[in-house]
Amino acid sequence: MAGGPPECYLALVPPASLHNSVTDWVDECARLAQPDRVHWCDGSEEEYRALVAGMLRDGTLLPLDPHKQPDSYLHRSHPSDVARSENLTFICTDLKEDAGPTNNWMSPKEAFEKLTPLFRGAMKGRTMYVVPYLMGPAGSPYARMGIELTDSAYVAASLKIMTRMGKVALDHLGGSDQFVRGLHSLGDLSPERRFVCHFPERRLIWSIGSGYGGNALLPKKCFALRIGSWIARQEGWLAEHMLILGLQDPEGEVTYIAAAFPSSCGKTNLAMLVPPASQKGWKVWTVGDDIAWMHFGKDGRLYAVNPEAGFFAVAPGTSEKTNPNMMATIRKNTIFTNVALRPDGTPWWEGMDGAAPAEATDWLGKPWKPGSPTKAAHPNSRFTTPARQCPAISPSFDDPQGVPISAILFGGRRARVAPLVFEAFDWRHGVFLGATMGSETTAAATGQVGVVRRDPMAMIPFCGYNMADYFAHWLRVGARSDEAPSIFHVNWFQTGPDGSYLWPGFGENLRVLRWILARCRGKADAVRTPIGFLPTREALDLGGLNLPESSVQRLLSVDIEAWTQELADMKAFFDKFGTRLPEELWQEHDRLSHRLKLGAA
Ligand code: O2Y
Ligand code: MN
């Protein structure tokens, strides 16, 4: 790229002892985007306060009530920029087949040709923040470095909450040149010029035209999952869209579980579950609510770290009933985005406890009253909040070795078909369960209700390579150890003839976790069925729930006819991958078909 950096470019100099490749890349990007200033973030509190002060001055942030909601702010994104843009998200591998049939693909050449002119001069008049960040606990052999260059102060401040940012990250990097590069600009925020491009072979992300969430906070979905999954395959570990929780029994022993569910299935709520009064002595510790990086340890067990330092969770529906721990977490030091504002300077959203306010300002900044035809908070409104503030945060949250995982859960939202819980016969069958995971759409997601979407391991939007290879990687990884976790499938969402849920969900899900834990310890009964091991009625604690007999029957039985119909849909999904799909998954499909036939006989 021709031309030198702008005059004031060197006003804030990079820390000494960085590898030349860091400063060379930052210089190269600055020459392209031409910011007025370059600010190297040190991740300090003072720096965070200065970023916030600047955003309060220019209106990017609005203050919330300093007593009721201390050190917290409201941000409103551009109304056309309110969620991840899956249709504008690309995997730019050299070969199209390496991205696979479930990703949008663009060749690296085309991507650079398309995006370079968009980035040229995009940061004129703005500051380019150089944000070094660490994914994973400091000192962990599993932690990874990234640097995001962004012209959004909102992104820089959010990364202070979501990652271990600044000095701690540069200390980890030392003189190494191993880091994931992320270049981000708001551009003109136009969806026509919005692209989120991943170059896994180059460990590079280019994102332009969005200031929101997964499109702009590059460490989260772009690095920790899309680039992360690519690196994980190369290095023999797993980068997964999974919560991590520790389940403590009344004797004080903690067992760790990782779980993958598609959006709107209550992942964050499960990660922060509060046991109901009936479950005396039990406790859930939160390690992570969204992403797990998992490596096999020397003892053959699978260890998980949460690469993130904060939660970026959806606001509507979060309440004292659904997630009291999250309500406590967000009481301070939180950035809310696209929620409604009450007259007393506190945030509000649909599904929060208590009555709706008599008046409020909606997510667009317009007056709102109950009965207004539109929602007060955007359905995908969110908050960014430090994980350390969660009352249930695990004492092992910062453990450099991670936590040993005993069970992996896959799940979805199924009104019929999937029973409450069942266990895979073995790892290979478990991978099949993950690979065929499906969830029914809700009106909020698509406008269409009840359409089954296959979302293997909840990774459809996040796998940075061909999912056929991803399945093969899962099969390979599990074969390496006799100590691999047991795999289960759960479904909290079966409905009865009147459409109401058969299972109470929320804190009562602990009963299901207890059966899972007991199975892992070889201490719970199960019946072998064509789809896997289901709990016997006695093995699952249903005491005090007063569930109708018909509900218990449905929750704990296999509908052979419905499963037989599923086979065709699973096959259609597998067919997309052609010959690249591992033969083992076809064998599992055949075996299921065979077992269902025997079950029907
Ligand atoms: O819409 C966005 O940009 C956020 S999406 C998101 C945020 C936090 C955790 N998970 C997700 C997701 O889509 O899985
Ligand atoms: Mn997620």
Side-chain angles (χ1 to χ4, degrees), residues 9 24 53 140 220 398 433 436 444 465:
Y9 163 53
D24 288 353
S140 170
K220 192 171 180 57
D398 276 318
L433 294 183
T436 53
Y465 61 100

Side-chain angles (χ1 to χ4, degrees), residues 221 241 267 290 462:
K221 302 297 188 180
H241 189 202
K267 212 155 107 227
D290 196 39
F462 306 120

Side-chain angles (χ1 to χ4, degrees), residues 286-297:
T286 310
V287 182
D289 80 325
D290 196 39
I291 298 173
W293 281 359
M294 304 193 286
H295 297 72
F296 278 98

Side-chain angles (χ1 to χ4, degrees), residues 266-524:
K267 212 155 107 227
T268 301
N269 295 347
L270 185 67
M272 296 184 187
L273 184 150
V274 176
S278 64
Q279 304 296 306
K280 252 201 152 98
W282 291 87
K283 159 114 191 123
V284 168
W285 296 104
T286 310
V287 182
D289 80 325
D290 196 39
I291 298 173
W293 281 359
M294 304 193 286
H295 297 72
F296 278 98
K298 288 198 182 79
D299 58 0
R301 299 195 69 188
L302 190 63
Y303 285 80
V305 294
N306 174 5
E308 302 189 280
F311 306 122
F312 179 56
V314 80
T318 306
S319 69
E320 293 295 341
K321 175 174 182 272
T322 60
N323 196 336
N325 277 325
M326 187 59 103
M327 293 304 279
T329 307
I330 61 179
R331 253 171 227 148
K332 57 183 180 184
N333 302 321
T334 298
I335 300 177
F336 296 87
T337 301
N338 295 342
V339 300
L341 183 62
R342 285 187 279 216
D344 69 349
T346 57
W348 188 80
W349 47 80
E350 281 76 10
M352 198 188 256
D353 311 271
E359 53 175 3
T361 307
D362 74 6
W363 68 278
L364 291 161
K366 301 219 173 72
W368 181 93
K369 284 204 295 256
S372 292
T374 50
K375 303 263 190 220
H378 188 277
N380 193 37
S381 55
R382 291 185 177 256
F383 40 75
T384 310
T385 193
R388 277 258 150 246
Q389 289 180 189
C390 177
I393 199 72
S394 164
S396 300
F397 176 71
D398 276 318
D399 189 330
Q401 293 306 322
V403 295
I405 299 295
S406 296
I408 290 176
L409 276 48
F410 294 123
R413 177 182 286 274
R414 302 301 304 264
R416 264 158 267 286
V417 187
L420 180 62
V421 57
F422 60 100
E423 183 185 0
F425 298 121
D426 51 30
W427 179 270
R428 191 171 118 153
H429 179 228
V431 174
F432 174 75
L433 294 183
T436 53
M437 235 170 87
S439 205
E440 282 149 27
T441 52
T442 57
T446 60
Q448 278 181 306
V449 185
V451 177
V452 178
R453 289 241 181 106
R454 297 283 154 203
D455 187 356
M457 285 83 167
M459 282 288 278
I460 277 272
F462 306 120
C463 186
Y465 61 100
N466 191 321
M467 280 202 116
D469 301 344
Y470 170 77
F471 301 144
H473 177 55
W474 262 82
L475 291 165
R476 238 188 343 261
V477 160
R480 282 214 323 241
S481 173
D482 294 336
E483 304 290 330
S486 306
I487 298 181
F488 296 80
H489 189 283
V490 298
N491 174 27
W492 320 128
F493 302 100
Q494 273 198 83
T495 52
D498 64 351
S500 60
Y501 290 117
L502 300 181
W503 178 249
F506 301 109
E508 304 297 353
N509 292 337
L510 186 90
R511 296 166 189 262
V512 175
L513 299 186
R514 281 180 52 200
W515 180 77
I516 289 169
L517 182 146
R519 284 296 289 172
C520 294
R521 294 180 180 169
K523 287 188 181 157

Side-chain angles (χ1 to χ4, degrees), residues 107-224:
S107 76
K109 181 170 178 294
E110 186 187 349
F112 289 128
E113 280 172 7
K114 211 172 244 175
L115 272 67
T116 299
L118 301 179
F119 272 112
R120 186 165 296 123
M123 297 188 188
K124 269 187 190 154
R126 302 178 187 169
T127 299
M128 182 170 91
Y129 299 95
V130 181
V131 188
Y133 60 86
L134 186 64
M135 299 303 278
S140 170
Y142 310 131
R144 294 301 170 117
M145 261 299 296
I147 300 180
E148 175 164 351
L149 309 181
T150 177
D151 56 7
S152 162
Y154 164 78
V155 167
S158 300
L159 293 187
K160 162 80 178 153
I161 296 174
M162 292 303 297
T163 70
R164 288 132 174 126
M165 166 189 161
K167 186 177 176 314
V168 61
L170 289 178
D171 287 349
H172 182 95
L173 182 65
S176 158
D177 62 352
Q178 294 299 303
F179 66 99
V180 170
R181 294 155 167 77
L183 174 61
H184 167 254
S185 172
L186 297 169
D188 63 6
L189 289 177
S190 162
E192 278 80 54
R193 284 174 290 283
R194 180 177 300 159
F195 294 96
V196 185
C197 289
H198 305 72
F199 305 87
E201 286 130 337
R202 294 160 175 80
R203 302 200 177 180
L204 173 69
I205 306 152
W206 273 20
S207 167
I208 189 156
S210 166
Y212 190 71
N215 294 337
L217 307 177
L218 304 186
K220 192 171 180 57
K221 302 297 188 180
C222 300
F223 176 178

